[in-house]
């Protein structure tokens, strides 16, 4: 069994920032986890494996025990750098191979 879960995540923004950086994308996800679950509940390792700034889309890896928490935080996030937003999980899989078609799109 895999130790990680992989997600293909898009960020839909009400207005586009100048250029979205992977570090801001990741920090928004991490802040969402902490905001929803607190300092201890949101404490996990979150990795952005691949990022497409043009389409605001990323392949994210999270430990399997935090998968449900991350999905919850993604669903409840409504703001990114003071801009209204919504995260969309395009696809999720316990194996990176399960996102093969997502890599082709990025």
């Amino acid at each position: 069994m895999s130790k990680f879960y992989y997600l293909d995540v898009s960020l839909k923004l009400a207005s586009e920032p100048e250029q979205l950086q992977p570090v801001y994308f990741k920090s928004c996800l991490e802040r969402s986890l902490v905001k929803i679950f607190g300092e201890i509940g949101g404490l996990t390792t979150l990795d952005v494996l691949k990022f497409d700034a043009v389409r605001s889309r990323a392949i994210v890896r999270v430990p399997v025990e935090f998968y449900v928490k991350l999905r919850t935080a993604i669903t409840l996030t409504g703001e990114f750098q003071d801009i209204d937003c919504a995260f969309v999980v395009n696809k999720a899989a316990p194996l990176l191979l399960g996102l093969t078609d997502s890599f082709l799109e990025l």
Side-chain angles (χ1 to χ4, degrees):
M1 186 165 151
S2 177
K3 295 179 184 179
F4 297 100
Y5 221 89
Y6 301 87
L7 299 93
D8 174 6
V9 181
S10 297
L11 177 61
K12 307 296 182 190
L13 296 166
S15 63
E16 294 296 319
E18 288 183 22
Q19 181 163 357
L20 184 62
Q21 298 292 324
V23 68
Y24 297 131
F25 190 93
K26 178 182 176 182
S27 70
C28 185
L29 293 174
E30 290 172 338
R31 276 186 274 125
S32 296
L33 278 166
V34 171
K35 186 176 180 181
I36 303 297
F37 297 104
E39 289 292 327
I40 302 299
L43 189 61
T44 187
T45 304
L46 181 76
D47 299 310
V48 174
L49 302 179
K50 190 164 184 173
F51 184 75
D52 181 356
V54 174
R55 294 179 15 222
S56 301
R57 194 167 171 179
I59 303 294
V60 178
R61 178 177 69 185
V62 67
V64 71
E65 59 270 10
F66 279 89
Y67 168 69
V68 173
K69 287 183 178 183
L70 181 61
R71 287 291 298 248
T72 303
I74 285 172
T75 302
L76 297 175
T77 299
E79 187 176 88
F80 176 80
Q81 297 179 347
D82 298 326
I83 301 171
D84 290 337
C85 77
F87 279 101
V88 177
V89 177
N90 301 304
K91 196 168 188 180
L95 299 172
L96 188 56
L97 190 58
L99 300 181
T100 303
D101 57 333
S102 295
F103 276 108
L104 296 175
E105 293 176 14
L106 291 177

